[in-house]
Structure formats: C-alpha cells, structure tokens
Amino acid sequence: MAWRDLREWLKLIEGQGELKHIAAQVDTHEELGAITYLATRGESAPALLFENLADDATKTRILTNMLGSSKSRYALSVGIDPNLPTSEMIAQSRVIMKRSVPPTRVAKDRAPVNEVVLTGDDIDMTRFPVPKFWPGDGGRFIGTGDITFTASPDNGRINVGCYRQMLHGPRQIGFYCSPGKHGLLDREGWWARGEECEVVCAYGVDPVLFMVAAQSFGIDQSELDVAGGMMGRAVELTDAECVSLPIPANAEIVIEGTVKQGDVLPEGPLGEFTGYYGRERSPQPVIQVKALHYRKSPIFTHALMAKYPSCEIGAYYAIMRSARIMDDLSAIGVPGVVSAYSHPAAASGWGMVVVSISQKYAGHSAQVLALAAQCPAAAYYTKWVIVVDDDVDPTDLNDVLWALSTRCHPSEDIDILRNTWSTGLDPSQYVPEDRPYGAKVLINACKPHRYKAQFPKSTALRRSTYDRVAGRWNELGFSGSAPKLQAFHVDD
Ligand SMILES: Cc1cc2nc3c(=O)[nH]c(=O)nc-3n(C[C@H](O)[C@H](O)[C@H](O)COP(=O)(O)O)c2cc1C
Ligand SMILES: [Mn+2]
C-alpha cells in the first residue's frame, strides 16, 4: 500500500485530482456543512480539505467527503483497480476483507499522534473548531468521521465502531450508540460488572480505519484485524496514558476516556444519513475525557450525514456491505447466489438489498429472501429485500426496476416481516418510541419457478448476431467497443 496515514493518503488522492483545498475562511457553524452539501450533489465530487477555519487558534484543518460516493477513492484506498465495475469491486472486497492481519504496537515516542499529549485539566476540547452541520442539530458534533475503540469485558476483543459524538464541554463528549451495536454491548457489559467502560476515540483517521468502523462485522471479530487485512499491513497502535486500551498511533487526534453508567446528558438531534433529524433529543451516556493526543495542525475527519450522494456513508459502504451480505449467504451455504447490492441512495445502503440468484429448485427464491433479510450483515434497518434472476444485475437499478415491473406479481410475490431490527433514526416509524422495531418487505422479482419454462422469453440478441455487430462496431461509426451483454437469445 502506497500510503501510511491520512496525510500520505491525501497526497495520493491529490495526485488523482480527487482533493480540493479550500483556503478561504469558513465558519464551522452551518457554513462548512452547507459547502460540503452543495459541493457533493454529484457522485464524482472530490474530498474537501478546509484549511482556514474561523475563530480557530489551533490551526486545525477539516476533511469532509473523504470517501463519500466516490468508488475510485474507495478502490485507491484498498488497492483495487478504480476502473472495475461495481459488481467486480464487491467480489474483490470479499477477498480483501477476509485477509486478517492483527495490529502491531509501536513505541509511544514513535507515534505521530503523540506530538502533543495533554491530560486532566489541561484538556479543553472546545478550543478545536467543531462543526454544527444542519440548522436543527442539537449541538456541535466532534465525532462523525470518528473511530471508537471499546473492549469486550468477556474476551478483550477490541471493537472499532463509528458512533456520533456531540461535544458537551471541555472534557465531556456524548456517545450515542444504537441498540445492538457492539460499542453499546461492550459498554453495557462493563456496567453489568459494576465497572466504567473505557473508550478511545480518534477524530482524524485514515480512510480504511473509518470504513471498517462503519461496517458490521461479527461480534467477536476485531475491525483492527480487518483493516490490517484490507491494507495488507498491520494497523499501528501504541499504549495509552490513562486507559488500558491502545490508541491508533498514526491518527491525527485521539482522546482517551471513561463512561460511567447513569452519567448522561441531553444529546442530539443530528441531521442523519436518512436525510432527517431522526431522533429526538434524549439523555445519552457521556465520555469523561482523561487524555488528549494530537498532531500539530491536526486534520479532523468529519462526516456530513445527508441524502445521497452527499452522505459520507456512500459508495464504499454500499460495496462493503454488499460483500458482507454475500459472505453471510455463502457461510450459511445457500446455493446459487450470484451477486448482491445495497444501493447507497437507499438511506446509505441500509434501506434496500437486492440479491440475484440462479434459481435451482422450488422455494429457492423464497429461501434466499428470508436468509438475506435476517443475515447479520443485512438485518439492521433494511426494509426492501428483493431477489432477482441472474440475468439482472443488482448494481444496475434500471435492471432491478425492470425485474420488479415484469416478474413480480404483487399479490403472489410480497411478504412482510414485522418487529425486526431497526433504529431510532428511521423516521417512517411513528410514534418515535416504536422506532427501534422495523419491518421488512420481501419481494420476489424472479420469474415464477413453477412456470419458468413457460414464462415469456425476454427480448435478447442472438449470440451470433451480437458477435457480428460487435466486430463491426467501429466500422459502423461507433467508438470504443460494443456494450457487454449478460444474456442472449436461446432457441426453443
Ligand atoms: C458517519 C457515521 C456515523 C454513525 N453514527 C452512528 C451512531 O451515532 N450510532 C450508531 O449506533 N451507529 C452509527 N453509525 C453506524 C455504525 O458505525 C455501524 O453500524 C458500525 O457497524 C458499528 O460498529 P459495530 O458493528 O462494531 O457496532 C455511524 C456510521 C457512520 C459511517
Ligand atoms: Mn464490531
């Protein structure tokens, strides 16, 4: 991998024309959020580095749209070919996400994040410029593009999650976790033993650590091992000052803290990935900050939460989630699964999953629907679970809409699962108290298995004609090569 930390990664993407420096002075109060939103209404928007923040004595810089909806920045970050089609990126992601490389420890004095180390009363997080993104946000959020470490009280596994964190005061930071998330399960595990939960949070991180923090892996799997595998080199950690967890050695800014049961403050709302202020202000646990580490003139990574394509949970998230869903289905052992995709426009890939299969037996499509709906990688939030035949590409919404409109007979092909795993952030469930309980529609958009043989043939080109036309493509006056096709005419 050609980069070792966020600063080197920024040089890499700058070389590809994918970084925009913003030298003009910008206010972190709504203006930074507004600029990020307006600059990211297209899928190929560059990452934005804000270098001149109003009222800032710390020389902080802020990076937004680090990955966003850019497939190429995802590919560059993990060393795959940025020109691959999405389905190939998913296939390659499955391979690199399985290459586990455990983290390594470096000496404290070799860790760039230890350029400045403060403890106790010397810490004042309010000195940093911290964004309020949307007009209705309940405060300034220091943690959006963050990674948060917690340890399992049972086996010491270090979890890395991305959880939103509102700044309450000089040494107090909110810590909102959704039910079922590993950070919350770890936290409650420590509390059940009568102990405080230690946390380490980094607010300026490299893109791979951020990506794995945002993704669901197994409860006993450390995202640090996955990040190492994706990068092909161990994540470098170093010892902390006050907690027993390690800290990421190459991060831009890290805090160490503890969270005590019952220590809560009103938190939120935040304009979220759904495009709504999804959750009312409510009491949430507070991190008491014990130590602060940062590089001089640190680069904070901040994630704008918004409607696609302006959301930081974008292309990389959809690709990795789709790869995880494929892995889950393959681990269960269901045959015939060809491809899967969670399009990021469906609430950051959380809203919809499309799976394509080669139908092999009666009930096969219904089985895949049920398994895809509840497998660990897809169960959270997902409302629309769609199964299609293997001549339909799940990453191509035009294809998926065609299958829905021509192979799905709603009175036969739709089922609903109720009281499923969801989130307080889904605005469609009203009253808000009901929100963690979701529902899922299972849509069979495959040709009906019973009548597969009789089902009308779709219009497809004869292979020999395709080959002839493709061979004459330039002679016919078209440039490049003829589009590739997935299916061809079959004679009766
Ligand atoms: C920018 C961003 C903000 C997020 N905010 C939260 C949050 O506030 N609470 C939460 O539970 N999950 C949040 N998530 C989703 C979690 O990071 C994701 O579900 C991840 O799988 C959690 O890690 P875990 O599976 O180890 O619990 C956020 C994700 C991103 C990318
Ligand atoms: Mn986890």
Side-chain angles (χ1 to χ4, degrees), residues 326 329 333-340 354-369 386-394 407 444-449 452 486:
M326 295 279 288
L329 293 174
V334 58
V337 175
V338 177
S339 184
V354 183
V355 183
S356 69
I357 62 167
S358 156
Q359 286 193 76
K360 295 192 185 303
Y361 46 90
H364 187 186
S365 50
Q367 182 190 21
V368 171
L369 273 175
I386 303 170
V387 65
V388 294
D389 292 299
D390 55 4
D391 59 337
V392 173
D393 175 1
R407 298 182 186 179
N444 193 339
C446 290
K447 293 177 188 170
H449 184 264
K452 231 170 93 182
Q486 305 224 10

Side-chain angles (χ1 to χ4, degrees), residues 26 39 230 324 359 375 425:
V26 170
M230 291 186 83
R324 296 278 304 128
Q359 286 193 76
C375 72
L425 298 179

Side-chain angles (χ1 to χ4, degrees), residues 164 247 340:
R164 79 185 199 198
I247 67 171

Side-chain angles (χ1 to χ4, degrees), residues 109-392:
D109 59 3
R110 279 198 45 229
V113 75
N114 283 336
E115 209 172 340
V116 180
V117 182
L118 301 175
T119 54
D121 292 339
D122 291 340
I123 300 167
D124 183 359
M125 302 305 293
T126 64
R127 290 184 63 236
F128 293 107
V130 174
K132 173 174 182 262
F133 293 97
W134 293 103
D137 285 355
R140 292 179 180 261
F141 279 81
I142 192 165
T144 50
D146 66 283
I147 62 170
T148 298
F149 292 1
T150 50
S152 156
D154 303 322
N155 58 22
R157 177 275 290 121
I158 296 175
N159 192 71
V160 189
C162 173
Y163 309 110
R164 79 185 199 198
Q165 292 170 9
M166 194 175 104
L167 186 61
H168 289 299
R171 293 173 55 197
Q172 290 182 310
I173 293 174
F175 181 20
Y176 170 71
C177 268
S178 228
K181 296 292 166 180
H182 301 158
L184 181 141
L185 297 174
D186 285 353
R187 195 166 76 188
E188 293 187 341
W190 290 106
W191 292 347
R193 295 174 184 224
E195 292 182 49
E196 294 185 353
C197 174
E198 293 183 337
V199 296
V200 160
C201 312
Y203 301 124
V205 290
D206 73 53
V208 174
L209 277 172
F210 173 67
M211 286 190 263
V212 298
Q215 198 59 237
S216 325
F217 294 94
I219 177 78
D220 288 330
Q221 200 176 1
S222 176
E223 288 83 357
L224 291 170
D225 300 356
V226 183
M230 291 186 83
M231 289 190 274
R233 59 176 164 78
V235 174
E236 292 181 334
L237 304 173
T238 193
D239 292 342
E241 296 297 310
C242 304
V243 297
S244 54
L245 286 162
I247 67 171
N250 301 323
E252 295 283 326
I253 165 157
V254 165
I255 59 129
E256 304 171 27
T258 54
V259 191
K260 198 162 87 185
Q261 184 165 26
D263 182 11
V264 291
L265 282 173
E267 192 266 2
L270 171 70
E272 276 285 356
F273 66 93
T274 52
Y276 298 83
Y277 303 99
R279 206 173 186 292
E280 258 95 280
R281 198 169 180 79
S282 65
Q284 293 296 329
V286 173
I287 302 167
Q288 300 289 345
V289 181
K290 302 283 158 93
L292 165 66
H293 309 243
Y294 61 96
R295 296 175 75 162
K296 288 189 179 142
S297 187
I299 304 171
F300 277 61
T301 45
H302 282 302
L304 180 73
M305 298 285 99
K307 270 192 303 192
Y308 184 78
S310 293
C311 194
E312 185 57 81
I313 313 179
Y316 70 92
Y317 187 79
I319 291 169
M320 290 170 70
R321 186 178 200 245
S322 306
R324 296 278 304 128
I325 294 167
M326 295 279 288
D327 282 348
D328 279 355
L329 293 174
S330 126
I332 294 167
V334 58
V337 175
V338 177
S339 184
Y341 194 52
S342 301
H343 197 288
S348 289
W350 267 309
M352 183 168 95
V353 176
V354 183
V355 183
S356 69
I357 62 167
S358 156
Q359 286 193 76
K360 295 192 185 303
Y361 46 90
H364 187 186
S365 50
Q367 182 190 21
V368 171
L369 273 175
L371 294 172
Q374 294 288 20
C375 72
Y380 182 67
Y381 199 119
T382 311
K383 299 180 180 187
W384 310 101
V385 190
I386 303 170
V387 65
V388 294
D389 292 299
D390 55 4
D391 59 337
V392 173

Side-chain angles (χ1 to χ4, degrees), residues 397-473:
L397 280 186
N398 293 339
D399 252 20
V400 174
L401 293 175
W402 174 63
L404 280 173
S405 306
T406 60
R407 298 182 186 179
C408 171
H409 195 69
S411 61
E412 289 300 308
D413 291 327
I414 297 184
D415 287 303
I416 294 181
L417 300 183
R418 294 167 205 278
N419 293 309
T420 54
W421 186 25
S422 191
T423 163
L425 298 179
D426 174 8
S428 74
Q429 178 74 300
Y430 219 79
V431 290
E433 290 67 32
D434 287 345
R435 271 188 199 158
Y437 301 99
K440 300 179 189 307
V441 186
L442 312 188
I443 305 178
N444 193 339
C446 290
K447 293 177 188 170
H449 184 264
R450 276 186 188 81
Y451 307 112
K452 231 170 93 182
Q454 298 100 301
F455 198 81
K457 274 186 186 172
S458 55
T459 46
L461 300 183
R462 195 183 297 284
R463 173 109 226 183
S464 55
T465 316
Y466 172 82
D467 288 342
R468 197 168 67 242
V469 172
R472 296 182 61 202
W473 198 241

